[in-house]
Amino acid sequence: MPTVLRPLLRGVTYTRILHLWVTALPFSIWIFIYPTAPWAPALVLIPLGLIPAVRRGEGIQARLLLASDERESEFSEEPSATWRDRWRTVLWLAVRMGLAMMTTVATTWLPVLTYGSADMAMGHTVKGVPWLEEASPHWAYALLVPVFLVLLYATMVGLGELITAAARRLLGPSPAERLAALEVRTEQLLERTRIARELHDSIGHALTIAVVQAGAARTARDPAFTDRALEAIEETGRTALEDLDRVLGILREPERPVSSRPTLVDADRLLETVPGPVSREGYRILQESLTNALRHAGPVPVRARVCVADGTLLLEIRNPLAEGVSGPGRGSGLRGIRERAALLGGRARTGPDEGDWRVRVELPLG
């Protein structure tokens, strides 16, 4: 089909006309009953548009009937928060009513004129149709049929585009609403970053332990040690599955509280007075540090010190450096530790120290 005719195949072309027809219906009834005062309904637009909730209703209608894609957030669906938004709503109602009346007239009389012209071209007399009832039948009226059809098409598409453009302009989000939407979007991106870090920490930790334990069991060739290694792998895998289910639950339920996340309180309830955010991030920092130790140094002794002093939570994790290895590297794990500490107003230092690899993190409690 030619590009110019494609709007006829789009459902939004007809929902826009429906939007305008619905607007014109009560005013058409008024004019039919009180033809001497056709301007009276316009007086209702000012007090109606000043009602804050009206803007929300108009925005919802615009999204459902005017938008070409419902995913577009081009219309505000919030009540008027300022007088500027209220007057924009009043102007919108006036524009909507004016375009609605034009649409009603065009879509009523253009089909009638089309049919009347075709009828007169076939030699019949037409009564009750303006411009045609006084004319004599003639074949030349057939030339007007495509003209009226083109005008009807242009009216349906053109007025639909015009009302949509006006709605975007007058019902679009205000600067304050755009800022609020941007803040929500930023929060969503931060949440996704946090979830990615959660997956990296939890699953990476579990896989590292499983690989190290499996390698150690294969090397040891000791049935008792192998049983302990398999038990550790099983427990680690179970914990990883629980963490994965929890993170996926966050994705499915964005409003789910974070109280179910593991915290340092789970470490024998040693730090019950530590604030929730500090406790959760401290847990992840400790987990990431142990994962790095296993991944880069292997099954070596690891010393972890956790204490609270002078309003600060101190985490220090030390492990011997493997021979020929200067440290765990500079991957996303260490960067994640530093980012977690910085977000809580603390600091993290990582690097070789007296033959060990040390991670030292200080997190303020208040």
Side-chain angles (χ1 to χ4, degrees):
M1 174 175 287
T3 303
V4 70
L5 296 180
R6 286 180 183 173
L8 294 177
L9 300 180
R10 300 172 60 204
V12 72
T13 300
Y14 304 99
T15 59
R16 288 171 177 174
I17 294 299
L18 176 62
H19 181 270
L20 291 167
W21 277 344
V22 169
T23 306
L25 181 60
F27 298 107
S28 299
I29 295 175
W30 173 271
I31 293 173
F32 180 78
I33 299 175
Y34 300 102
T36 57
W39 45 266
L43 298 179
V44 181
L45 299 181
I46 295 179
L48 187 64
L50 295 180
I51 300 174
V54 170
R55 183 165 178 263
R56 182 174 185 272
E58 293 295 319
I60 293 174
Q61 289 184 61
R63 175 177 59 83
L64 294 175
L65 298 177
L66 300 182
S68 57
D69 187 342
E70 286 194 13
R71 293 172 296 178
E72 297 178 0
S73 58
E74 53 188 344
F75 307 114
S76 172
E77 296 183 21
E78 298 296 328
S80 299
T82 64
W83 280 102
R84 181 175 182 272
D85 287 339
R86 295 180 183 182
W87 286 112
R88 287 173 67 199
T89 306
V90 171
L91 180 57
W92 156 252
L93 293 176
V95 170
R96 180 178 176 181
M97 185 180 71
L99 293 178
M101 299 307 295
M102 292 173 58
T103 302
T104 301
V105 171
T107 55
T108 299
W109 286 107
L110 285 175
V112 171
L113 290 171
T114 302
Y115 177 81
S117 297
D119 208 23
M120 292 189 68
M122 291 186 292
H124 301 150
T125 301
V126 176
K127 299 296 183 180
V129 179
W131 307 299
L132 296 180
E133 60 182 351
E134 301 297 333
S136 301
H138 194 278
W139 65 266
Y141 280 98
L143 301 177
L144 293 178
V145 172
V147 174
F148 290 136
L149 288 176
V150 169
L151 287 176
L152 179 62
Y153 169 80
T155 298
M156 293 179 60
V157 176
L159 290 180
E161 291 291 342
L162 189 58
I163 191 65
T164 304
R168 290 193 182 103
R169 179 69 176 173
L170 299 174
L171 296 179
S174 65
E177 290 172 333
R178 292 183 187 277
L179 180 59
L182 182 60
E183 290 176 349
V184 170
R185 177 60 177 164
T186 302
E187 289 295 329
Q188 291 175 343
L189 292 176
L190 290 175
E191 180 70 4
R192 291 187 180 185
T193 301
R194 184 189 63 76
I195 290 173
R197 186 176 294 147
E198 291 264 348
L199 286 174
H200 170 269
D201 292 348
S202 177
I203 306 303
H205 172 75
L207 291 177
T208 299
I209 290 180
V211 170
V212 171
Q213 292 283 359
R218 182 170 56 83
T219 303
R221 301 182 184 278
D222 181 353
F225 182 85
T226 300
D227 288 341
R228 291 195 300 272
L230 290 175
E231 183 179 352
I233 292 173
E234 179 185 5
E235 182 63 28
T236 303
R238 184 180 295 110
T239 302
L241 287 174
E242 291 175 355
D243 282 350
L244 180 60
D245 182 66
R246 176 175 52 80
V247 172
L248 292 178
I250 293 174
L251 288 173
R252 291 190 297 266
E253 303 175 42
E255 302 301 324
R256 183 179 178 181
V258 298
S259 58
S260 60
R261 301 177 190 171
T263 68
L264 284 174
V265 175
D266 297 325
D268 297 331
R269 305 286 178 178
L270 294 178
L271 299 170
E272 295 182 359
T273 60
V274 175
V278 175
S279 182
R280 285 189 293 273
E281 298 308 314
Y283 176 92
R284 288 307 185 191
I285 289 171
L286 178 59
Q287 183 183 57
E288 180 63 28
S289 300
L290 295 175
T291 299
N292 285 339
L294 282 170
R295 181 181 294 134
H296 298 286
V300 299
V302 178
R303 300 192 303 275
R305 183 163 68 98
V306 182
C307 66
V308 176
D310 299 327
T312 300
L313 172 66
L314 173 64
L315 300 172
E316 187 174 77
I317 301 93
R318 305 178 72 101
N319 63 270
L321 288 171
E323 184 177 352
V325 179
S326 60
R330 302 180 181 276
S332 61
L334 293 180
R335 184 171 63 251
I337 289 175
R338 289 190 289 269
E339 289 176 355
R340 290 178 186 275
L343 285 173
L344 293 175
R347 60 179 180 173
R349 288 174 288 180
T350 61
D353 181 68
E354 299 179 355
D356 292 339
W357 179 265
R358 185 184 72 161
V359 175
R360 181 183 174 87
V361 179
E362 299 175 9
L363 303 176
L365 298 179

